mmCIF file of all heavy atoms in Angstrom:
data_model
loop_
_atom_site.group_PDB
_atom_site.id
_atom_site.type_symbol
_atom_site.label_atom_id
_atom_site.label_comp_id
_atom_site.label_asym_id
_atom_site.label_seq_id
_atom_site.Cartn_x
_atom_site.Cartn_y
_atom_site.Cartn_z
ATOM 1 N N SER A 1246 -2.160 6.269 5.459
ATOM 2 C CA SER A 1246 -2.456 6.497 6.871
ATOM 3 C C SER A 1246 -1.349 7.400 7.407
ATOM 4 O O SER A 1246 -0.238 7.456 6.879
ATOM 5 C CB SER A 1246 -2.478 5.177 7.642
ATOM 6 O OG SER A 1246 -1.187 4.599 7.721
ATOM 7 N N ASP A 1247 -1.649 8.107 8.456
ATOM 8 C CA ASP A 1247 -0.644 9.021 9.064
ATOM 9 C C ASP A 1247 0.560 8.270 9.553
ATOM 10 O O ASP A 1247 1.653 8.827 9.545
ATOM 11 C CB ASP A 1247 -1.306 9.773 10.224
ATOM 12 C CG ASP A 1247 -2.310 10.810 9.756
ATOM 13 O OD1 ASP A 1247 -2.279 11.171 8.536
ATOM 14 O OD2 ASP A 1247 -3.152 11.238 10.574
ATOM 15 N N SER A 1248 0.386 7.050 9.980
ATOM 16 C CA SER A 1248 1.465 6.259 10.569
ATOM 17 C C SER A 1248 2.524 5.831 9.540
ATOM 18 O O SER A 1248 3.677 5.537 9.937
ATOM 19 C CB SER A 1248 0.936 5.029 11.290
ATOM 20 O OG SER A 1248 0.290 4.177 10.388
ATOM 21 N N VAL A 1249 2.192 5.837 8.255
ATOM 22 C CA VAL A 1249 3.141 5.380 7.247
ATOM 23 C C VAL A 1249 3.497 6.500 6.236
ATOM 24 O O VAL A 1249 4.398 6.294 5.454
ATOM 25 C CB VAL A 1249 2.637 4.153 6.458
ATOM 26 C CG1 VAL A 1249 2.214 3.061 7.422
ATOM 27 C CG2 VAL A 1249 1.473 4.540 5.528
ATOM 28 N N LYS A 1250 2.797 7.620 6.309
ATOM 29 C CA LYS A 1250 3.046 8.692 5.343
ATOM 30 C C LYS A 1250 4.483 9.145 5.437
ATOM 31 O O LYS A 1250 5.012 9.377 6.519
ATOM 32 C CB LYS A 1250 2.107 9.864 5.650
ATOM 33 C CG LYS A 1250 2.036 10.924 4.559
ATOM 34 C CD LYS A 1250 0.979 11.970 4.903
ATOM 35 C CE LYS A 1250 -0.404 11.409 4.983
ATOM 36 N NZ LYS A 1250 -1.423 12.446 5.295
ATOM 37 N N GLY A 1251 5.137 9.269 4.277
ATOM 38 C CA GLY A 1251 6.515 9.638 4.240
ATOM 39 C C GLY A 1251 7.491 8.470 4.282
ATOM 40 O O GLY A 1251 8.677 8.641 3.991
ATOM 41 N N ARG A 1252 7.030 7.288 4.677
ATOM 42 C CA ARG A 1252 7.876 6.139 4.747
ATOM 43 C C ARG A 1252 7.475 5.074 3.708
ATOM 44 O O ARG A 1252 8.328 4.353 3.171
ATOM 45 C CB ARG A 1252 7.808 5.465 6.130
ATOM 46 C CG ARG A 1252 8.231 6.374 7.261
ATOM 47 C CD ARG A 1252 8.356 5.601 8.567
ATOM 48 N NE ARG A 1252 7.064 5.071 9.013
ATOM 49 C CZ ARG A 1252 6.845 3.789 9.269
ATOM 50 N NH1 ARG A 1252 7.796 2.906 9.134
ATOM 51 N NH2 ARG A 1252 5.644 3.393 9.659
ATOM 52 N N PHE A 1253 6.172 4.953 3.433
ATOM 53 C CA PHE A 1253 5.665 3.977 2.491
ATOM 54 C C PHE A 1253 5.195 4.661 1.211
ATOM 55 O O PHE A 1253 4.702 5.795 1.247
ATOM 56 C CB PHE A 1253 4.477 3.204 3.058
ATOM 57 C CG PHE A 1253 4.796 2.268 4.233
ATOM 58 C CD1 PHE A 1253 6.055 2.287 4.810
ATOM 59 C CD2 PHE A 1253 3.837 1.437 4.727
ATOM 60 C CE1 PHE A 1253 6.343 1.449 5.887
ATOM 61 C CE2 PHE A 1253 4.087 0.591 5.760
ATOM 62 C CZ PHE A 1253 5.331 0.600 6.367
ATOM 63 N N THR A 1254 5.324 3.965 0.105
ATOM 64 C CA THR A 1254 4.838 4.464 -1.174
ATOM 65 C C THR A 1254 4.081 3.381 -1.910
ATOM 66 O O THR A 1254 4.595 2.254 -2.094
ATOM 67 C CB THR A 1254 6.034 4.935 -2.077
ATOM 68 O OG1 THR A 1254 6.778 5.941 -1.373
ATOM 69 C CG2 THR A 1254 5.516 5.519 -3.390
ATOM 70 N N ILE A 1255 2.851 3.711 -2.297
ATOM 71 C CA ILE A 1255 2.042 2.758 -3.071
ATOM 72 C C ILE A 1255 2.123 3.152 -4.560
ATOM 73 O O ILE A 1255 2.136 4.337 -4.887
ATOM 74 C CB ILE A 1255 0.584 2.708 -2.577
ATOM 75 C CG1 ILE A 1255 -0.227 1.624 -3.248
ATOM 76 C CG2 ILE A 1255 -0.111 4.086 -2.795
ATOM 77 C CD1 ILE A 1255 -1.588 1.376 -2.613
ATOM 78 N N SER A 1256 2.159 2.165 -5.418
ATOM 79 C CA SER A 1256 2.220 2.416 -6.861
ATOM 80 C C SER A 1256 1.560 1.253 -7.561
ATOM 81 O O SER A 1256 1.283 0.214 -6.959
ATOM 82 C CB SER A 1256 3.659 2.578 -7.326
ATOM 83 O OG SER A 1256 4.416 1.406 -7.104
ATOM 84 N N ARG A 1257 1.273 1.438 -8.856
ATOM 85 C CA ARG A 1257 0.633 0.361 -9.585
ATOM 86 C C ARG A 1257 1.199 0.288 -10.981
ATOM 87 O O ARG A 1257 1.675 1.271 -11.542
ATOM 88 C CB ARG A 1257 -0.911 0.487 -9.622
ATOM 89 C CG ARG A 1257 -1.477 1.275 -10.767
ATOM 90 C CD ARG A 1257 -1.585 2.740 -10.460
ATOM 91 N NE ARG A 1257 -2.422 3.454 -11.390
ATOM 92 C CZ ARG A 1257 -2.023 4.548 -12.056
ATOM 93 N NH1 ARG A 1257 -0.809 5.012 -11.892
ATOM 94 N NH2 ARG A 1257 -2.857 5.167 -12.877
ATOM 95 N N ASP A 1258 1.138 -0.922 -11.517
ATOM 96 C CA ASP A 1258 1.482 -1.156 -12.924
ATOM 97 C C ASP A 1258 0.239 -1.690 -13.581
ATOM 98 O O ASP A 1258 -0.083 -2.884 -13.443
ATOM 99 C CB ASP A 1258 2.666 -2.141 -12.994
ATOM 100 C CG ASP A 1258 3.133 -2.388 -14.406
ATOM 101 O OD1 ASP A 1258 2.323 -2.279 -15.359
ATOM 102 O OD2 ASP A 1258 4.344 -2.628 -14.597
ATOM 103 N N ASN A 1259 -0.447 -0.845 -14.319
ATOM 104 C CA ASN A 1259 -1.722 -1.235 -14.905
ATOM 105 C C ASN A 1259 -1.563 -2.408 -15.902
ATOM 106 O O ASN A 1259 -2.405 -3.291 -15.966
ATOM 107 C CB ASN A 1259 -2.367 -0.054 -15.647
ATOM 108 C CG ASN A 1259 -2.753 1.063 -14.684
ATOM 109 O OD1 ASN A 1259 -1.922 1.525 -13.888
ATOM 110 N ND2 ASN A 1259 -3.962 1.508 -14.757
ATOM 111 N N ALA A 1260 -0.482 -2.411 -16.617
ATOM 112 C CA ALA A 1260 -0.251 -3.447 -17.604
ATOM 113 C C ALA A 1260 -0.111 -4.824 -16.950
ATOM 114 O O ALA A 1260 -0.483 -5.836 -17.532
ATOM 115 C CB ALA A 1260 0.964 -3.135 -18.481
ATOM 116 N N LYS A 1261 0.469 -4.828 -15.778
ATOM 117 C CA LYS A 1261 0.700 -6.116 -15.080
ATOM 118 C C LYS A 1261 -0.367 -6.394 -14.037
ATOM 119 O O LYS A 1261 -0.315 -7.392 -13.351
ATOM 120 C CB LYS A 1261 2.062 -6.051 -14.376
ATOM 121 C CG LYS A 1261 3.275 -5.980 -15.335
ATOM 122 C CD LYS A 1261 4.571 -6.027 -14.549
ATOM 123 C CE LYS A 1261 5.769 -6.000 -15.494
ATOM 124 N NZ LYS A 1261 7.071 -6.036 -14.741
ATOM 125 N N ASN A 1262 -1.351 -5.455 -13.923
ATOM 126 C CA ASN A 1262 -2.401 -5.628 -12.904
ATOM 127 C C ASN A 1262 -1.771 -5.887 -11.517
ATOM 128 O O ASN A 1262 -2.236 -6.783 -10.798
ATOM 129 C CB ASN A 1262 -3.360 -6.762 -13.298
ATOM 130 C CG ASN A 1262 -4.177 -6.420 -14.504
ATOM 131 O OD1 ASN A 1262 -4.680 -5.319 -14.635
ATOM 132 N ND2 ASN A 1262 -4.320 -7.381 -15.394
ATOM 133 N N THR A 1263 -0.783 -5.110 -11.191
ATOM 134 C CA THR A 1263 -0.047 -5.315 -9.959
ATOM 135 C C THR A 1263 0.045 -4.006 -9.187
ATOM 136 O O THR A 1263 0.277 -2.959 -9.825
ATOM 137 C CB THR A 1263 1.342 -5.886 -10.259
ATOM 138 O OG1 THR A 1263 1.220 -7.146 -10.914
ATOM 139 C CG2 THR A 1263 2.146 -6.074 -8.969
ATOM 140 N N VAL A 1264 -0.111 -4.070 -7.902
ATOM 141 C CA VAL A 1264 0.124 -2.910 -7.046
ATOM 142 C C VAL A 1264 1.240 -3.239 -6.113
ATOM 143 O O VAL A 1264 1.452 -4.382 -5.703
ATOM 144 C CB VAL A 1264 -1.205 -2.603 -6.253
ATOM 145 C CG1 VAL A 1264 -1.553 -3.702 -5.291
ATOM 146 C CG2 VAL A 1264 -1.060 -1.269 -5.508
ATOM 147 N N TYR A 1265 2.031 -2.217 -5.792
ATOM 148 C CA TYR A 1265 3.210 -2.369 -4.964
ATOM 149 C C TYR A 1265 3.105 -1.496 -3.739
ATOM 150 O O TYR A 1265 2.455 -0.461 -3.719
ATOM 151 C CB TYR A 1265 4.461 -1.992 -5.765
ATOM 152 C CG TYR A 1265 4.640 -2.704 -7.049
ATOM 153 C CD1 TYR A 1265 4.224 -2.143 -8.251
ATOM 154 C CD2 TYR A 1265 5.228 -3.971 -7.098
ATOM 155 C CE1 TYR A 1265 4.377 -2.815 -9.458
ATOM 156 C CE2 TYR A 1265 5.375 -4.654 -8.288
ATOM 157 C CZ TYR A 1265 4.943 -4.071 -9.454
ATOM 158 O OH TYR A 1265 5.105 -4.740 -10.663
ATOM 159 N N LEU A 1266 3.819 -1.909 -2.693
ATOM 160 C CA LEU A 1266 3.956 -1.085 -1.508
ATOM 161 C C LEU A 1266 5.424 -1.095 -1.115
ATOM 162 O O LEU A 1266 5.952 -2.091 -0.624
ATOM 163 C CB LEU A 1266 3.086 -1.614 -0.341
ATOM 164 C CG LEU A 1266 3.068 -0.725 0.888
ATOM 165 C CD1 LEU A 1266 2.350 0.587 0.593
ATOM 166 C CD2 LEU A 1266 2.424 -1.449 2.077
ATOM 167 N N GLN A 1267 6.095 0.012 -1.395
ATOM 168 C CA GLN A 1267 7.466 0.179 -1.013
ATOM 169 C C GLN A 1267 7.526 0.700 0.419
ATOM 170 O O GLN A 1267 6.977 1.750 0.682
ATOM 171 C CB GLN A 1267 8.200 1.148 -1.950
ATOM 172 C CG GLN A 1267 9.637 1.425 -1.570
ATOM 173 C CD GLN A 1267 10.510 0.226 -1.731
ATOM 174 O OE1 GLN A 1267 10.428 -0.528 -2.697
ATOM 175 N NE2 GLN A 1267 11.381 -0.023 -0.747
ATOM 176 N N MET A 1268 8.146 -0.046 1.297
ATOM 177 C CA MET A 1268 8.185 0.293 2.707
ATOM 178 C C MET A 1268 9.612 0.592 3.132
ATOM 179 O O MET A 1268 10.486 -0.312 3.058
ATOM 180 C CB MET A 1268 7.591 -0.860 3.532
ATOM 181 C CG MET A 1268 6.203 -1.261 3.116
ATOM 182 S SD MET A 1268 5.441 -2.488 4.189
ATOM 183 C CE MET A 1268 6.535 -3.892 3.912
ATOM 184 N N ASN A 1269 9.859 1.783 3.506
ATOM 185 C CA ASN A 1269 11.210 2.222 3.959
ATOM 186 C C ASN A 1269 11.132 2.594 5.431
ATOM 187 O O ASN A 1269 10.075 2.820 5.994
ATOM 188 C CB ASN A 1269 11.672 3.416 3.146
ATOM 189 C CG ASN A 1269 11.819 3.098 1.654
ATOM 190 O OD1 ASN A 1269 12.147 1.956 1.260
ATOM 191 N ND2 ASN A 1269 11.601 4.067 0.793
ATOM 192 N N SER A 1270 12.327 2.703 6.028
ATOM 193 C CA SER A 1270 12.430 3.086 7.442
ATOM 194 C C SER A 1270 11.491 2.270 8.303
ATOM 195 O O SER A 1270 10.765 2.836 9.148
ATOM 196 C CB SER A 1270 12.158 4.604 7.602
ATOM 197 O OG SER A 1270 13.034 5.356 6.818
ATOM 198 N N LEU A 1271 11.494 0.998 8.136
ATOM 199 C CA LEU A 1271 10.560 0.125 8.853
ATOM 200 C C LEU A 1271 10.847 0.139 10.355
ATOM 201 O O LEU A 1271 12.010 0.250 10.787
ATOM 202 C CB LEU A 1271 10.624 -1.293 8.314
ATOM 203 C CG LEU A 1271 9.888 -1.478 6.985
ATOM 204 C CD1 LEU A 1271 10.351 -2.769 6.286
ATOM 205 C CD2 LEU A 1271 8.361 -1.536 7.202
ATOM 206 N N GLU A 1272 9.772 0.034 11.098
ATOM 207 C CA GLU A 1272 9.846 0.077 12.588
ATOM 208 C C GLU A 1272 9.207 -1.204 13.118
ATOM 209 O O GLU A 1272 8.384 -1.851 12.441
ATOM 210 C CB GLU A 1272 9.082 1.264 13.074
ATOM 211 C CG GLU A 1272 9.532 2.602 12.492
ATOM 212 C CD GLU A 1272 8.560 3.752 12.769
ATOM 213 O OE1 GLU A 1272 7.461 3.453 13.301
ATOM 214 O OE2 GLU A 1272 8.918 4.896 12.468
ATOM 215 N N PRO A 1273 9.597 -1.599 14.333
ATOM 216 C CA PRO A 1273 9.017 -2.832 14.915
ATOM 217 C C PRO A 1273 7.450 -2.763 14.930
ATOM 218 O O PRO A 1273 6.803 -3.782 14.792
ATOM 219 C CB PRO A 1273 9.602 -2.882 16.312
ATOM 220 C CG PRO A 1273 10.956 -2.243 16.143
ATOM 221 C CD PRO A 1273 10.711 -1.137 15.133
ATOM 222 N N ASP A 1274 6.908 -1.560 15.105
ATOM 223 C CA ASP A 1274 5.437 -1.413 15.123
ATOM 224 C C ASP A 1274 4.808 -1.699 13.766
ATOM 225 O O ASP A 1274 3.603 -1.800 13.644
ATOM 226 C CB ASP A 1274 5.043 -0.018 15.582
ATOM 227 C CG ASP A 1274 5.198 0.145 17.083
ATOM 228 O OD1 ASP A 1274 5.381 -0.878 17.791
ATOM 229 O OD2 ASP A 1274 5.146 1.285 17.573
ATOM 230 N N ASP A 1275 5.607 -1.791 12.731
ATOM 231 C CA ASP A 1275 5.070 -2.123 11.407
ATOM 232 C C ASP A 1275 4.863 -3.624 11.267
ATOM 233 O O ASP A 1275 4.294 -4.084 10.262
ATOM 234 C CB ASP A 1275 6.019 -1.683 10.318
ATOM 235 C CG ASP A 1275 6.141 -0.131 10.224
ATOM 236 O OD1 ASP A 1275 5.074 0.503 10.327
ATOM 237 O OD2 ASP A 1275 7.252 0.355 10.064
ATOM 238 N N THR A 1276 5.290 -4.434 12.217
ATOM 239 C CA THR A 1276 5.131 -5.877 12.182
ATOM 240 C C THR A 1276 3.641 -6.224 12.131
ATOM 241 O O THR A 1276 2.842 -5.825 12.987
ATOM 242 C CB THR A 1276 5.775 -6.559 13.403
ATOM 243 O OG1 THR A 1276 7.177 -6.334 13.364
ATOM 244 C CG2 THR A 1276 5.471 -8.069 13.422
ATOM 245 N N ALA A 1277 3.262 -6.968 11.075
ATOM 246 C CA ALA A 1277 1.867 -7.304 10.862
ATOM 247 C C ALA A 1277 1.732 -8.226 9.653
ATOM 248 O O ALA A 1277 2.707 -8.391 8.890
ATOM 249 C CB ALA A 1277 1.021 -6.046 10.630
ATOM 250 N N VAL A 1278 0.540 -8.763 9.466
ATOM 251 C CA VAL A 1278 0.192 -9.373 8.211
ATOM 252 C C VAL A 1278 -0.392 -8.280 7.308
ATOM 253 O O VAL A 1278 -1.306 -7.591 7.751
ATOM 254 C CB VAL A 1278 -0.817 -10.531 8.408
ATOM 255 C CG1 VAL A 1278 -1.214 -11.124 7.063
ATOM 256 C CG2 VAL A 1278 -0.242 -11.603 9.313
ATOM 257 N N PHE A 1279 0.163 -8.163 6.134
ATOM 258 C CA PHE A 1279 -0.260 -7.134 5.183
ATOM 259 C C PHE A 1279 -1.183 -7.783 4.158
ATOM 260 O O PHE A 1279 -0.846 -8.807 3.561
ATOM 261 C CB PHE A 1279 0.927 -6.503 4.511
ATOM 262 C CG PHE A 1279 1.613 -5.477 5.386
ATOM 263 C CD1 PHE A 1279 2.333 -5.842 6.512
ATOM 264 C CD2 PHE A 1279 1.512 -4.120 5.071
ATOM 265 C CE1 PHE A 1279 2.942 -4.875 7.312
ATOM 266 C CE2 PHE A 1279 2.123 -3.142 5.882
ATOM 267 C CZ PHE A 1279 2.836 -3.533 6.974
ATOM 268 N N TYR A 1280 -2.332 -7.122 3.919
ATOM 269 C CA TYR A 1280 -3.332 -7.628 2.996
ATOM 270 C C TYR A 1280 -3.513 -6.647 1.866
ATOM 271 O O TYR A 1280 -3.593 -5.438 2.075
ATOM 272 C CB TYR A 1280 -4.669 -7.820 3.696
ATOM 273 C CG TYR A 1280 -4.651 -8.863 4.796
ATOM 274 C CD1 TYR A 1280 -4.391 -8.502 6.084
ATOM 275 C CD2 TYR A 1280 -4.929 -10.209 4.504
ATOM 276 C CE1 TYR A 1280 -4.404 -9.468 7.134
ATOM 277 C CE2 TYR A 1280 -4.926 -11.159 5.525
ATOM 278 C CZ TYR A 1280 -4.651 -10.779 6.822
ATOM 279 O OH TYR A 1280 -4.665 -11.702 7.801
ATOM 280 N N CYS A 1281 -3.682 -7.203 0.668
ATOM 281 C CA CYS A 1281 -4.026 -6.419 -0.502
ATOM 282 C C CYS A 1281 -5.530 -6.547 -0.714
ATOM 283 O O CYS A 1281 -6.106 -7.579 -0.455
ATOM 284 C CB CYS A 1281 -3.238 -6.992 -1.687
ATOM 285 S SG CYS A 1281 -3.674 -6.341 -3.293
ATOM 286 N N ALA A 1282 -6.149 -5.461 -1.224
ATOM 287 C CA ALA A 1282 -7.579 -5.484 -1.466
ATOM 288 C C ALA A 1282 -7.884 -4.736 -2.751
ATOM 289 O O ALA A 1282 -7.175 -3.805 -3.132
ATOM 290 C CB ALA A 1282 -8.351 -4.828 -0.298
ATOM 291 N N ALA A 1283 -8.977 -5.149 -3.412
ATOM 292 C CA ALA A 1283 -9.403 -4.536 -4.679
ATOM 293 C C ALA A 1283 -10.822 -4.065 -4.582
ATOM 294 O O ALA A 1283 -11.669 -4.732 -3.988
ATOM 295 C CB ALA A 1283 -9.242 -5.538 -5.822
ATOM 296 N N ARG A 1284 -11.074 -2.925 -5.173
ATOM 297 C CA ARG A 1284 -12.417 -2.365 -5.234
ATOM 298 C C ARG A 1284 -12.885 -2.348 -6.670
ATOM 299 O O ARG A 1284 -12.210 -1.821 -7.548
ATOM 300 C CB ARG A 1284 -12.432 -0.921 -4.672
ATOM 301 C CG ARG A 1284 -13.802 -0.267 -4.749
ATOM 302 C CD ARG A 1284 -13.735 1.166 -4.207
ATOM 303 N NE ARG A 1284 -14.996 1.862 -4.366
ATOM 304 C CZ ARG A 1284 -15.970 1.866 -3.460
ATOM 305 N NH1 ARG A 1284 -15.806 1.226 -2.317
ATOM 306 N NH2 ARG A 1284 -17.065 2.527 -3.688
ATOM 307 N N LEU A 1285 -14.092 -2.895 -6.918
ATOM 308 C CA LEU A 1285 -14.595 -3.041 -8.280
ATOM 309 C C LEU A 1285 -15.759 -2.132 -8.572
ATOM 310 O O LEU A 1285 -16.465 -2.329 -9.566
ATOM 311 C CB LEU A 1285 -14.989 -4.497 -8.526
ATOM 312 C CG LEU A 1285 -13.857 -5.420 -9.057
ATOM 313 C CD1 LEU A 1285 -12.719 -5.504 -8.049
ATOM 314 C CD2 LEU A 1285 -14.363 -6.773 -9.375
ATOM 315 N N THR A 1286 -15.961 -1.111 -7.752
ATOM 316 C CA THR A 1286 -17.003 -0.136 -7.998
ATOM 317 C C THR A 1286 -16.395 1.262 -7.973
ATOM 318 O O THR A 1286 -15.376 1.451 -7.309
ATOM 319 C CB THR A 1286 -18.143 -0.244 -6.978
ATOM 320 O OG1 THR A 1286 -17.553 -0.187 -5.662
ATOM 321 C CG2 THR A 1286 -18.906 -1.527 -7.135
ATOM 322 N N PRO A 1287 -17.036 2.247 -8.632
ATOM 323 C CA PRO A 1287 -16.432 3.599 -8.691
ATOM 324 C C PRO A 1287 -16.165 4.186 -7.290
ATOM 325 O O PRO A 1287 -16.938 3.937 -6.364
ATOM 326 C CB PRO A 1287 -17.487 4.398 -9.433
ATOM 327 C CG PRO A 1287 -18.212 3.394 -10.272
ATOM 328 C CD PRO A 1287 -18.247 2.152 -9.476
ATOM 329 N N VAL A 1288 -15.099 4.914 -7.204
ATOM 330 C CA VAL A 1288 -14.710 5.556 -5.928
ATOM 331 C C VAL A 1288 -15.402 6.906 -5.838
ATOM 332 O O VAL A 1288 -15.219 7.764 -6.679
ATOM 333 C CB VAL A 1288 -13.211 5.745 -5.862
ATOM 334 C CG1 VAL A 1288 -12.827 6.413 -4.560
ATOM 335 C CG2 VAL A 1288 -12.493 4.396 -5.987
ATOM 336 N N ILE A 1289 -16.205 7.082 -4.812
ATOM 337 C CA ILE A 1289 -16.959 8.334 -4.620
ATOM 338 C C ILE A 1289 -16.023 9.364 -3.903
ATOM 339 O O ILE A 1289 -15.991 10.526 -4.253
ATOM 340 C CB ILE A 1289 -18.242 8.129 -3.806
ATOM 341 C CG1 ILE A 1289 -19.094 7.050 -4.496
ATOM 342 C CG2 ILE A 1289 -18.983 9.442 -3.653
ATOM 343 C CD1 ILE A 1289 -19.485 7.385 -5.915
ATOM 344 N N SER A 1290 -15.321 8.910 -2.904
ATOM 345 C CA SER A 1290 -14.423 9.770 -2.175
ATOM 346 C C SER A 1290 -13.257 8.969 -1.644
ATOM 347 O O SER A 1290 -13.352 7.753 -1.467
ATOM 348 C CB SER A 1290 -15.140 10.486 -1.028
ATOM 349 O OG SER A 1290 -15.452 9.564 -0.029
#
């Protein structure tokens, strides 16, 4: 999203079936409950 671009980095470790979200330069507006989600069908766009 535009609000986190340049501050957050998403990455994955396929062997561990784990996805990460590195969050830097955090701001009070980043306060929230963060949810992880998985898609099990091909990505069209």
Side-chain angles (χ1 to χ4, degrees):
S1246 69
D1247 289 342
S1248 62
V1249 307
K1250 193 176 297 182
R1252 301 189 297 124
F1253 292 9
T1254 303
I1255 188 170
S1256 62
R1257 90 271 194 232
D1258 184 328
N1259 295 53
K1261 295 182 178 180
N1262 292 318
T1263 299
V1264 65
Y1265 304 97
L1266 186 67
Q1267 177 66 43
M1268 305 186 295
N1269 298 328
S1270 302
L1271 283 162
E1272 305 167 353
D1274 283 349
D1275 294 317
T1276 295
V1278 177
F1279 281 70
Y1280 297 92
C1281 171
R1284 179 181 175 90
L1285 273 61
T1286 52
V1288 180
I1289 305 302
S1290 70

